[in-house]
Structure formats: structure tokens, C-alpha cells
Amino acid sequence: MKSNKTTELMVGMFIAAGLAALFVLAMQVSNLSSFGNGDTYRVTARFENIGGLKVRSAVTVGGVRVGRVASIDYDSERFQAVVGLDLESKYDRFPEDTSAAIYTAGLLGEQYVALEPGGSEDVLKDGSQIELTQSALVLEKLISKFLFEKASEGDKK
Amino acid sequence: MLEFIRQLGRGGISQFAKLGRANLFMLKVLAGFPGLLRRPGLLVAQLWSVGVLSLMIIVVSGLFVGMVLGLQGYNTLVDFGAEESLGVAVALSIVRELGPVVTALLFAGRAGSALAAEIGLMKATEQLSGMEMMAVDPIHRVIAPRFLAGFISMPLLAAIFSAVGIYGGYFVGVALLGVDDGAYWSQMQAKVDLFDDILNGVIKSLVFGWVVTWIAVFEGYDAIPTSEGVSRATTRTVVYAAFAVLGLDFVLTALMFGD
Amino acid sequence: MSDIPERLDTDPLVSIRGLRFSRGGRPIFDGVDLDIPRGKVTAIMGPSGTGKTTLLRLIGGQLEPEAGSVHVDGQEVARLSRGALYALRKRMGMLFQSGALLTDLTVFDNVAFPLREHTDLPEPMIRDLVLMKLQAVGLRGARELMPSELSGGMARRIALARAIALDPMMIMYDEPFTGQDPISMGALVELIRLLNDALGLTSIIVSHDVKETAAISDYIYVISQGKVVGQGTPEALGQTDSAWVRQFMQGLPDGPVPFHYPAPDYAEDLLNHDA
């Protein structure tokens, strides 16, 4: 065994390296850096179909991430999905008639909520509801629609 | 035939007796922890031989595992045009599975076998017995610091393995194969969850650290005090630890990610 | 049994009565009575495999007797609580056959080990004590060596220094002379007697080396087949009329203990090819 001082130093470095690795995993690898930083306000949006949207999916405006999906519920009275969005407080100038749409990043990618600002004077506040929404595109629906149209075209001929 | 069943019974009984001894042993080790607070030097010395000396193999293995994952993942994902997801693929497989499991297996081979052999030899050369006769409890003085050092080292080693592995994948994917640098990290950050993935990986390595070190120190302490007995205890440590890690990994994975 | 002489001591340090102990179904002790007087060197002798080491472990409380009792300094060892047993062990030194030095510590740290474990003495005082003990066994110059660098005889002397570190009331020696060259043997024989008298110790030697043991002991017990078969001072045992004890003490190859392990008739065995 090495002398006491060297041992202590190396053990200290080992523990520091282990903790640093955990820190890297938390900050660099996981989504820790993308939530919990700063205040947010909550708005809700109702969709007919949310596709594969998940809690903590991104909320973007013009491609810039401004918040995340905080909750997903189903309103069994109106048969709609209710999605809660946590938007960062520094983005507090979205017009009240902002619309929300669910898009897919790439063909097979993650789904996210994209906001499209409107022209109203009033702004979205905590507890506001986004009225204009566009549901997720469901691939199966698109394909079957496409096939039906092809089939009916064929019938006409 | 009857003789065979009898042997089966005898083997079963002796295995159960061993399990009982192992549990009693664990209780005694735990009872030795308070004494360690007054003697942190004992723990530091063991952290050196259990943790620091395992660092090299962990770093090198982590790097290569990450690089292989980067290469294999790229070749698979590029067919779907999804090579941007390489970061996610590498990070999830390392953080959830390979980090804790491979670290535990390497740890069993590097530190576990050394612990079992050291303790077994101390028993064979009457050092443990000698301590007892000097009114020093060898479980408190010898076993407890080694056990605690193993338990502390394992999650740290696993974290280092994972971090190095992810950078190994980055090196191959981004630097050699040309995956986009930003996509590697951002896709990873979008998909890897702090609690579901990283924390569960840490929990896994804590469980593995407990079990592997327990097996190692118990096998050493329970070894037949001859050179043959010690060598068999060393072998059993690695074999049992590997079984325990892989079996527990399945159970833990089912509990954590099975919903 | 040979004639039992008058008791040497009215208040023996160790007193064993009706001791019974077996291992793996094989009886090792079957009704052993013996007393270890204070301040003397007492030897327990017997052929290999008679459980002499086991006897020391019974005295030290590492094993428990099946029947009978072992009293050390008036306390029954098997009935002691853990704390009391440990307190008693601090007052016993034991020298193992192998020395049992801690292989990861230097000679100095080995001798300091019991002091550091059991006392809160300041480091300079520990240093002085350790050097005194090492000086007593003549190995003060070897303090920086590791146990792996020591010869067998040196390791035993270091172990002896460690055994007397806490100034115990008694020391148990397990086969101290086995495998020693004549010089270290002479040194050990000298040391055991010297330490016993200088420190006022009580010594128990377990051995089958008749000549060396007889040279330094005050009283000898001979054990065989789980019983005490002879006892007395070395001179008395030398003139015993027990054939068995005489064979053992004089090292005769044949006698009551036959040279041959029990076997069928030799000639018959050679001619019998069916087996």
C-alpha cells in the first residue's frame, strides 16, 4: 500500500470523479437541464387526438423550445384530450388567439406541441386556454384515407 | 435413485444452512458500521484497494463498450435514416443496462475475487483467529470496512463507466462517422429521463454493489482455510456474483421499466 | 493413568474439569481434567492430532465444550457474555503456529495493533511501548519489515512481542518449536522461559517437541486419545512406569502405540490377490 497521504488523495479523487460522472449524466445526458429552471405558467389546450404526445414533450414556437407538456388528461364530457402546457415565464407575450398543433419531429421522431402566435392584443396568462388546436396526424388514418380515395377514383373510371 | 434424491436433499440443506450463515454474517457486518465512523482511515484504505484499483479496468471497458455501441448503433440506425438517434441509443443502453451490469461483472472479477482471496487467506493463515484472540472482532475490523467500500465504490464506478461510455459512443459516432454533434446530445437529452433512466441505473448499481460485495466477503470468510478452499471460494465469488447480478438485473428491470 | 501428585497450586489460573469435545462426530476430549498453575510454564504434550490446539481454543473461548467446564481466573469461559469474553481475551496472549501476523501491516504496526485497537494512547507512547516489546524479543531493528520478509523464527518472535503488547496475565503457545532451525529454536526456548519469569506470566505450551519443551516447563500434561494419560514434572515423567508415556517421552518408534496402522496379517495380505 502507498503512504497514507497518497491513498487519501487518490481515494478523494476517485470519489470526486464518480460524483462528477453522476453530474455529467444528470446535466449532459438527461433532460434535467430542460426543466425545473425558472418559473413557468400553465395554459391548457384541447385536442381531438394527441397521437403519441407524452408528458415532458417539448413545446416550441418557431422551432424554439419555450416549455414542456406538463399533464395529459381526458375530458370524458367533451371527448377531448386536455393537455397542460408549462411555458417559461420569460415568454409571456403570446397573443390569446395563439394556436397549438401537434407535429412529429421527422418521420419516426418524437411528437411535440408547436404554438403559432395569432394577432390578438390580449396575452395568454396562467390558466388560459388555447382555443385553436390541430390534432396529431395519425399515420394509419392518412394511409386509409389515401387508399379510400384511390379506390373511389378507380370506381369512377 | 434413492441415493441420488438423498444427495439432492443433503445439498439443499447445506445450501440453506449457508444462506442462513450469510444472513447472520450480514447482520454482524452491519453492526460493525457504527465503529467505522470512529475509524474512517480503515474505510479509506479499502476504498483505495476496492475502488481506485478497479478504476482502470472500468474506464477502459466503458470506453470500448461505448465505442462498439456507437459503431453498431450507427450501422443499424443509418438504414432507417435515423442515425441522429445514435446518442439516445447509446445513452439508454449504457445508463439503463450496460453501465450497472458490466461494471458489476467487472467489479466481481477484479475486486470481488481479490476480496474473497484476501479474506480467505487471512483465515487460512489464522490472522482472523489471531484477531479474535486479541479481543478484536474481525468482522468489525476486517469485513465491515471492505463491505462498505464495495457498496460505495460500485455506483461511483458505474457512473464513471456510463459517462466514459457515452463519450466513447460520441467519439465513434460524431468524430469518426459524422453524426451531427448537436443531434447526438439533444436527442439524448430529450429522451433520457433523470429519474426513470439515470436514477434507476444508480439504484441498480447500489443493489449490485451490495450483493456482489456481500458474496465476496462472505465467501472469503466462509472459505475452508486451505489453499484449495480459498481458490474455490474465489471462483465461487465470481460465478455466484455473475448469476446474482444477471438474475437481479432482470427482476429490477421488470420492476423499473416493465409497466 | 499415572499416579497423581499433590496439586501444585491451590488457586490455578486455568482449571478444566470433565471436558468433553468432539468434532465431526469424532471425540477429541473425553473427560479431561487439568490445572494450569499461576506463574509457571505448563506444557501440554501429545502426539499430532490429539487436539492440543483445540484445547487452547477452548481456553480462549473460541470453541465451546460439549460438557465439563473451563475456568480462567475464576470465570467460566463458555458462560461469559461477549463483552466479558473480550475483556478476558485482552489479558490472554496467544502465539499461533504460523505467527498469524497481519500480512498488510509492517512489523511495527503489527505489534502496535493491539495497543491501537484497545487503548487511546498517544502515538509517541505507542512507539515507545512497541520498541520496548520488540527489544525484548531482539527484533527492534526489524520494525520496518513486512511479515513476508521475515523468516519463520523471526515471525514467531514478532508474534510473541505482539502477544505481550498488552501485558497479559498469560500466554498460550501453539507448537512454538515446529519447523524451527536450531538457532531460532534456542532463541525461542530462551525467550519463553525468560518472559515468563521476567513478566510474571503464566505460560501454556502446546507441543510435541519433547526435548525442548521438557527443558523449560515446570509441569507437563500428556494427552492421548482424549484423556490425560500422564502428568508431572519433567523429571518425574522421565521416570514414569507408564509404558505409553515412556514411549512418547523417549520417542520410541514402537511400543503401546504400534508402528503399524491396524491392518490384516502382512503375509496373508500379500498372498490375497482377490481383493
Side-chain angles (χ1 to χ4, degrees), chain B residues 112-129:
Chain B
S113 60
L115 279 178
E118 187 192 14
I119 295 169
L121 271 177
M122 287 181 85
K123 187 180 184 189
T125 53
E126 296 180 310
Q127 293 183 50
L128 298 184
S129 202

Side-chain angles (χ1 to χ4, degrees), chain B residues 126 129 132 134-135 137 141, chain C residues 57 62 82 98 117-118:
Chain B
E126 296 180 310
S129 202
E132 256 176 52
M134 285 187 277
D137 189 333
R141 179 64 172 69
Chain C
R57 288 185 192 274
Q62 285 189 322
R82 198 184 131 86
S98 58
E117 291 291 325
H118 294 307

Side-chain angles (χ1 to χ4, degrees), chain A residues 93-109:
Chain A
R93 291 293 174 80
F94 295 123
E96 206 181 28
D97 57 348
T98 294
S99 66
I102 298 175
Y103 292 136
T104 306
L107 191 57
L108 300 167

Side-chain angles (χ1 to χ4, degrees), chain A residues 70-141:
Chain A
S71 67
I72 295 176
D73 289 308
Y74 192 70
D75 181 347
S76 45
E77 305 259 304
R78 290 165 62 178
F79 306 114
Q80 280 176 326
V82 184
V83 177
L85 309 174
D86 273 353
L87 304 180
E88 289 176 33
S89 299
K90 60 180 172 180
Y91 305 115
D92 58 353
R93 291 293 174 80
F94 295 123
E96 206 181 28
D97 57 348
T98 294
S99 66
I102 298 175
Y103 292 136
T104 306
L107 191 57
L108 300 167
E110 182 93 319
Q111 287 188 305
Y112 63 97
V113 177
L115 300 181
E116 189 71 37
S120 169
E121 293 288 310
D122 297 323
V123 295
L124 286 174
K125 292 187 294 291
D126 192 50
S128 302
Q129 181 160 341
I130 295 174
E131 303 294 344
L132 298 164
T133 63
Q134 182 192 327
S135 287
L137 285 179
V138 177
L139 210 56
E140 290 90 326
K141 276 192 182 167

